Amino acid sequence: MQSASEQSEAAEPPAPAARPAPPEHAYPDHWEADVVLRDGGTARIRPITADDADRLVSFYEQVSDESKYYRFFAPYPRLSAKDVHRFTHHDFVDRVGLAATVGGEFIATVRYDRIDDRGLPASAPADEAEVAFLVQDAHQGRGVASALLEHIAAVARERDIRRFAAEVLPANNKMIKVFTDAGYTQKRSFEDGSVRLHLDLEPTDRSLAVQRAREQRAEARSVQRLLTPGSVAVVGVGRAPGGVGRTVLRDLLGAGFTGRVYAVNAALTGETQLDGVPAHPSVGAIGEPVDLAVVAVPAERVPEAVADCGEHGVRGLVVLSAGYAESGAAGRERQRELVRQARSYGMRIIGPNAFGIINTADDVRLNASLAPQMPAAGRIGLFSQSGAIGIALLAGLHRRGAGLSSFISAGNRADVSGNDFLQHWYDDPGTDVVLLYLESIGNPRKFTRLARRTAAVKPVVVVKGARHSGSAPPGHRVPVTRIPHATVSALLRQAGVIRVDTVTELVDAGLLLAAQPLPAGPRVAILGNSESLGLLTYDACLTEGLRPSRPLDLTTAAVPADFRDALAAALADEASDAVVVTAIPWVGEDGATEFGDGEVLAAALREAVAAAPAPRKPVVVVHVEMGGLAEALAVATSTRPPAAARGAVTVENRSGGAATSPPRPVVPPTQTAQALTSAPQPPTSEHQAATSAPQPPTSEHQAATSAPQPPTPEHQAATSAPQPSTPEQQATIPAYPAAERAVRALAEAVRYGQWRRQAAEPGRVPEYEDIDESGAAALIAGVLGEDVDARGVTLDTERAGALLARYGITVRPTLPAPTPDAAVAAARRLGYPVALKTTAPHLRHRPDLGGVRLDLATEEQLRTAYAELTEVLGKPEELQPVVQAMVPRGVDTVVRSAIDPAVGAVLSFGLSGAASELLGDTAHRLVPATDRDAAELIRSLRTAPLLFGWRGSAPVDTPALEELLLRVSRLVDDHPEVVAVSLEPVVVAPRGLSVLGATVRLAPPPPRTDLGPRSLPRY
């Protein structure tokens, strides 16, 4: 990328003598950031200081004459002492310079100078600045200037600069493109032989979209570099067999890695090879480029290894070493230093305390992990934060015949996290299904955004550990959340994530989604040779909210041909969207139970599926003690290699590795020949079921599921899965040893399919003409401008009502009633009938405790009610009674919104009352909510029938309720200072609704990390 140019600064006249020197400001360390560049490497962005003079001179000497010309509009071979002083001394307000560094050395710079309307140096309130870039030629094309523009624009906005001006030579097309592609509102003109650009720095939808698209490409590329190295060095390979380093080296070689492999150990002197690969005392001694280093040395020796790798151009690290944040305070500091050190060299890290990474692609075959056997190639991407769980998942998927595209066990995930791999898998053509085991979510807002985008093109299945521990697992740095786990789960489901509770369910759902098309609806046909098993399946379907038809009992006399014919009929029947086949062993003529026909039944079922008309329907099998059936159904899977290429897999417990508990053994699946020629043994555990190959969506399936189309032809090519090559591959069927497991997986697929169809039309955030956004902003500014607590302030009733009124939300007035006479006066003012309520904190919104009296139509009734309340519940000064006019009867509900530091603004809805609170029957959506979100929010409650005419009652005005939810959402979204809103109760009548109480809390807005310039988490 060529550097930018403004009018030659060398030609600028010196500042007028009368202009006072700008005041000194403290070094703004919050401007420091690590960023991922276009090629997947990293760079450090930081303010330039007076200590950087030598770095600046060295940097400038490495810039070509052409780039210098583009920068200064004239030949400018070297910087004068005056130039160096000017470019390294800044006040961090009117004059700011930022540098991108790698290895501590400058690779690019950007600076701005505040100017007035004549283009002369100025101070605030001038709100325009001239900006200029210079990028070292060796680093042009890496997206450095684009990243610097994002950060210098954020700095300028912080300093109340609203516009940038830049002058660029017409031939400097690359720099012009940096500005024009940024997405900001801009003006362009041609003056005196140069292009004059003016950029409005207020973020726009387009600038945010550009920023996130660049983020996705960069982070995906950084993961791709880790997964597709051309060469790997294992640092810490012992000379004697055994040990973590030697084990990883053996696993790399055993997987058939297609690149170069090197062994590194500082103690090596005379040896030239270990296990048949070149061995060296350091990475520097290799003398050839190394893309990936696997570090398996004690923690105290890791800094030396990282420096060796960084100084010799290694692109990424997999750190298996333990002894970091999981070990306490000293380990946490050691982990911070590890990340800082690696990033300073432009490297990304998996780990520390990691189990490793695997890529099964034929042209890579990378097993840089402690898994002793390469998994079968397939189309499932698997991420695990736990090495032990990762081992169990690898074993379970292997037993059930599933293959992987890639596997990552990230350990403490100090740098590379699940978010990065979501960026990669989003447009990875080799991955159709994403499975994630997470114990913490470091950036929930970003995770939700990425998961929503990925789920629109391929399923994302998540199981989260450490749900109820109340803290993050050791070694995980995450924001503290105040909302319950159930709320987080609801928000993930809103984003299209398939949320499951156990590792078994993770595998069950993943296998079905990888092997079968999405169901077009919830209608399920059930057929099999056991009436009892059919009824269990029927009940399980009802429990999961599906719509099963009456089970078709083929009787125990059914043979495989009967199953084939019945399945073919069910698949052709337009009254069903999915089919569950149940099977038990059948009894032969001599009365003996026959187990050997599982393979024949599997062939019959595959034949029926292969011959089924389009659009295809998902089929799952529930089997009980059907020897060979599960294995035979797995034989056809396209996620597995040919039989000759498969072998037994065993996992050893290795001391010093990432795993902290003994792994479960991996049982090899029955070989193809064995399945066809010998009688297999019954399953040894409930996990010994089978699955099949992931199927690409056919055009009919795409129409049935209404999957949103990718935005570009390139993306369509990247996300379309290869077509299966044989009918058997098209007919693979996942099998389960229990009806509940099969139906639960099917139900998740149904719900996900429904979400995909709805995602094609995601709804809209409506505009309301009566909203007074500026008036609300002025009211909020007035309150926060007062001397209030830094933690915020709760508005009084009058100001809360005034703020809500700006958004078209009317709160029914309440009048205090400290005495019976005051209550009577209030009732006369409001008009009878009235309600008398206590507002004491322990009685507020608790009508079940007797603190509310309704329909008081006369003064006598009001005085009697007042006397009863004070006699039973306490003195008036304790009860704080109020009087409110009666409203039309309806259903009492609660509308709330709050800002959580981990997930952002959340809109919540539920019915009022202790019962709903005890049951946790509250629905949640992220803000801003769309009209579709509001409708779903109301209907997702278990008690929702009360709103729609339950047991003959009149349905309430749900459109009015949806509008109220959307108005609250708009208020919180427009004004982040509104950190909490509670409307309780909201009485929804058959016509209209009434808000009877409101609480609003304001506070300085929390920082929005998702709206700032691209950066990695700080350490």
Side-chain angles (χ1 to χ4, degrees):
M1 178 182 298
Q2 297 293 347
S3 61
S5 178
E6 61 182 350
Q7 293 291 351
S8 173
E9 292 175 349
E12 290 179 1
R19 185 170 180 251
E24 293 293 329
H25 290 268
Y27 177 80
D29 57 4
H30 64 286
W31 292 351
E32 295 181 354
D34 294 304
V35 297
V36 183
L37 302 177
R38 181 182 300 157
D39 63 355
T42 65
R44 179 82 167 165
I45 293 178
R46 64 170 178 83
I48 299 174
T49 69
D51 296 332
D52 291 319
D54 291 341
R55 293 186 185 88
L56 180 66
V57 172
S58 175
F59 157 74
Y60 194 77
E61 290 175 348
Q62 298 177 63
V63 176
S64 69
D65 290 339
E66 181 184 44
S67 293
K68 293 173 182 176
Y69 185 88
Y70 280 146
R71 170 65 177 81
F72 291 107
F73 285 27
Y76 212 79
R78 63 185 57 86
L79 296 175
S80 67
K82 181 180 178 181
D83 293 330
V84 173
H85 183 275
R86 174 176 174 78
F87 295 155
T88 56
H89 287 70
H90 305 95
D91 63 5
F92 303 126
V93 177
D94 299 330
R95 300 183 62 252
V96 172
L98 300 180
T101 68
V102 173
E105 298 301 320
F106 287 7
I107 64 169
T109 62
V110 63
R111 58 188 296 267
Y112 78 66
D113 290 83
R114 194 190 300 258
I115 57 175
D116 59 20
D117 54 3
R118 296 173 299 168
L120 299 177
S123 299
D127 61 358
E128 185 172 349
E130 195 160 31
V131 65
F133 293 78
L134 186 59
V135 180
Q136 211 172 78
D137 293 68
H139 295 276
Q140 293 176 11
R142 301 184 64 198
V144 183
S146 297
L148 282 173
L149 177 57
E150 289 180 21
H151 284 262
I152 197 72
V155 168
R157 289 192 295 268
E158 182 181 328
R159 298 309 194 196
D160 295 324
I161 292 173
R162 298 291 174 255
R163 291 179 304 282
F164 273 163
E167 289 197 40
V168 187
L169 287 174
N172 195 355
N173 293 320
K174 292 182 179 180
M175 198 62 229
I176 293 174
K177 186 174 175 60
V178 168
F179 288 114
T180 57
D181 288 354
Y184 296 113
T185 303
Q186 56 186 272
K187 296 179 181 179
R188 183 174 175 179
S189 60
F190 189 80
E191 301 175 9
D192 299 327
S194 64
V195 178
R196 183 77 175 176
L197 296 165
H198 291 269
L199 280 73
D200 187 337
L201 300 183
E202 186 65 26
T204 65
D205 290 342
R206 182 168 177 262
S207 69
L208 187 60
V210 168
Q211 178 178 315
R212 288 177 173 173
R214 288 172 173 168
E215 174 191 67
Q216 189 275 325
R217 288 193 297 269
E219 294 181 357
R221 177 58 182 154
S222 72
V223 169
Q224 187 180 17
R225 294 205 318 180
L226 293 167
L227 288 173
T228 59
S231 56
V232 177
V234 182
V235 181
V237 177
R239 285 173 289 189
V244 175
R246 195 66 175 263
T247 298
V248 174
L249 181 62
R250 183 200 69 190
D251 296 343
L252 268 170
L253 299 175
F257 177 57
T258 58
R260 301 180 304 279
V261 180
Y262 305 98
V264 175
N265 190 319
L268 295 175
T269 54
E271 292 89 351
T272 58
Q273 286 193 339
L274 284 174
D275 287 345
V277 304
H280 302 274
S282 67
V283 172
I286 294 174
E288 297 181 18
V290 174
D291 295 327
L292 178 69
V294 182
V295 180
V297 299
E300 59 270 17
R301 290 176 48 200
V302 169
E304 177 185 351
V306 172
D308 183 25
C309 292
E311 289 168 3
H312 294 93
V314 175
R315 293 182 168 187
L317 303 174
V318 177
V319 181
L320 307 183
S321 312
Y324 287 89
E326 80 282 358
S327 62
R332 284 194 293 272
E333 181 57 34
R334 189 179 298 121
Q335 182 166 301
R336 283 192 286 268
E337 289 301 323
L338 169 64
V339 175
R340 293 191 191 108
Q341 184 186 17
R343 288 180 179 172
S344 73
Y345 290 109
M347 297 185 294
R348 301 215 67 183
I349 302 174
I350 292 179
N353 195 30
F355 185 73
I357 60 174
I358 295 174
N359 182 359
T360 64
D362 288 339
D363 58 345
V364 181
R365 298 199 58 78
L366 172 72
N367 182 7
S369 78
L370 295 172
Q373 184 80 16
M374 188 75 161
R379 307 188 66 79
I380 296 176
L382 175 61
F383 178 91
S384 174
Q385 287 181 354
S386 161
I389 296 298
I391 293 171
L393 286 168
L394 287 174
L397 289 165
H398 183 85
R399 278 196 301 270
R400 299 178 67 175
L404 301 177
S405 61
S406 49
F407 163 76
I408 306 91
S409 180
N412 294 0
R413 57 150 189 75
D415 180 29
V416 176
S417 69
N419 284 347
D420 296 285
F421 278 90
L422 276 178
Q423 299 276 39
H424 167 69
W425 283 322
Y426 166 65
D427 55 7
D428 175 30
T431 301
D432 290 339
V433 178
V434 174
L435 305 184
L436 303 169
Y437 171 77
L438 305 176
E439 292 178 346
S440 62
I441 302 176
N443 188 338
R445 288 187 183 184
K446 183 175 179 179
F447 177 81
T448 301
R449 170 169 58 85
L450 300 185
R452 181 193 294 272
R453 184 188 59 188
T454 305
V457 294
K458 60 188 68 173
V460 178
V461 191
V462 173
V463 61
K464 189 174 182 302
R467 300 194 301 266
H468 305 297
S469 63
S471 62
H476 292 214
R477 180 175 176 269
V478 297
V480 177
T481 180
R482 294 189 293 263
I483 62 178
H485 165 72
T487 304
V488 176
S489 296
L491 298 179
L492 291 179
R493 287 188 178 276
Q494 180 191 355
V497 172
I498 299 172
R499 174 73 178 78
V500 296
D501 292 326
T502 68
V503 170
T504 300
E505 292 177 1
L506 180 72
V507 174
D508 285 347
L511 293 178
L512 186 150
L513 291 161
Q516 296 291 305
L518 291 177
R523 303 171 300 172
V524 180
I526 303 170
L527 61 94
N529 63 348
S530 169
E531 182 180 13
S532 297
L533 188 54
L535 290 175
L536 286 173
T537 305
Y538 182 89
D539 291 341
C541 287
L542 292 176
T543 300
E544 292 293 335
L546 303 179
R547 291 164 50 191
S549 59
R550 183 177 183 85
L552 174 61
D553 182 16
L554 302 178
T555 77
T556 55
V559 296
D562 297 323
F563 277 87
R564 179 197 60 206
D565 295 342
L567 178 57
L571 291 173
D573 186 359
E574 296 182 357
S576 66
D577 302 308
V579 183
V580 179
V581 178
T582 63
I584 63 171
W586 45 88
V587 180
E589 294 181 358
D590 58 357
T593 302
E594 297 187 6
F595 290 94
D597 279 344
E599 294 85 352
V600 180
L601 176 58
L605 296 177
R606 290 201 304 271
E607 181 182 349
V609 172
R616 292 183 57 216
K617 301 176 184 178
V619 177
V620 298
V621 171
V622 178
H623 66 98
V624 176
E625 294 298 329
M626 282 293 296
L629 176 60
E631 289 82 358
L633 287 171
V635 164
T637 174
S638 64
T639 70
R640 302 169 68 196
R646 298 197 303 267
V649 177
T650 58
V651 177
E652 302 170 3
N653 187 24
R654 309 183 188 284
S655 60
T660 57
S661 60
R664 296 170 60 182
V666 179
V667 181
T670 306
Q671 301 296 312
T672 303
Q674 293 173 334
L676 295 176
T677 61
S678 62
Q681 298 300 313
T684 57
S685 75
E686 66 173 0
H687 293 284
Q688 250 179 315
T691 188
S692 55
Q695 298 298 322
T698 62
S699 57
E700 295 85 352
H701 166 60
Q702 288 174 335
T705 57
S706 300
Q709 295 301 310
T712 65
E714 292 83 354
H715 185 201
Q716 289 176 337
T719 57
S720 58
Q723 295 294 323
S725 58
T726 66
E728 288 78 10
Q729 289 178 347
Q730 295 177 343
T732 54
I733 306 168
Y736 302 85
E740 295 77 13
R741 287 174 55 183
V743 170
R744 191 175 298 120
L746 180 60
E748 294 292 358
V750 169
R751 287 188 282 267
Y752 172 67
Q754 181 182 15
W755 182 89
R756 281 274 291 263
R757 291 188 291 273
Q758 293 175 346
E761 299 177 3
R764 63 183 184 88
V765 177
E767 298 288 339
Y768 296 106
E769 294 182 358
D770 59 344
I771 286 180
D772 182 6
E773 185 175 345
S774 58
L779 192 156
I780 292 169
V783 172
L784 293 180
E786 301 170 1
D787 187 16
V788 299
D789 192 311
R791 294 170 296 180
V793 59
T794 300
L795 298 183
D796 56 38
T797 301
E798 182 178 352
R799 288 200 283 192
L803 177 60
L804 292 168
R806 297 288 196 280
Y807 274 73
I809 302 170
T810 301
V811 182
R812 295 281 181 153
T814 59
L815 299 178
T819 65
D821 290 341
V824 171
R828 288 174 180 167
R829 179 177 172 184
L830 297 172
Y832 288 100
V834 296
L836 179 66
K837 304 187 294 184
T838 62
T839 59
H842 65 290
L843 296 172
R844 188 176 180 84
H845 306 311
R846 290 296 306 276
D848 53 306
L849 298 181
V852 178
R853 297 292 189 273
L854 302 176
D855 287 319
L856 305 176
T858 65
E859 179 180 337
E860 180 181 358
Q861 291 178 353
L862 177 57
R863 290 185 180 275
T864 301
Y866 198 101
E868 291 174 351
L869 282 180
T870 53
E871 180 180 350
V872 174
L873 299 178
K875 299 178 181 179
E877 53 269 25
E878 298 171 351
L879 303 182
Q880 303 173 27
V882 296
V883 174
Q884 192 169 48
M886 287 296 298
V887 299
R889 292 297 182 94
V891 178
D892 289 2
T893 64
V894 181
V895 175
R896 292 192 178 101
S897 183
I899 295 181
D900 183 84
V903 299
V906 179
L907 181 67
S908 304
F909 172 73
L911 267 58
S912 181
S916 291
E917 292 184 15
L918 286 172
L919 293 173
D921 191 19
T922 305
H924 311 274
R925 291 293 185 272
L926 291 172
V927 169
T930 66
D931 51 0
R932 185 186 295 278
D933 290 330
E936 292 176 352
L937 196 62
I938 294 171
R939 289 158 179 81
S940 59
L941 297 177
R942 284 173 287 175
T943 48
L946 293 173
L947 302 170
F948 295 94
W950 187 63
R951 287 190 174 181
S953 62
V956 302
D957 192 348
T958 51
L961 183 55
E962 292 171 12
E963 181 178 328
L964 175 65
L965 290 165
L966 292 169
R967 288 179 179 274
V968 172
S969 172
R970 279 287 309 275
L971 170 64
V972 176
D973 188 47
D974 291 345
H975 306 283
E977 301 89 349
V978 181
V979 295
V981 176
S982 178
L983 307 182
E984 184 179 4
V986 177
V987 181
V988 190
R991 294 188 62 183
L993 56 77
S994 303
V995 180
L996 302 187
T999 303
V1000 178
R1001 184 168 180 80
L1002 304 181
R1008 289 290 303 274
T1009 57
D1010 57 327
L1011 294 182
R1014 289 174 287 158
S1015 65
L1016 292 169
R1018 297 192 67 182
Y1019 265 91

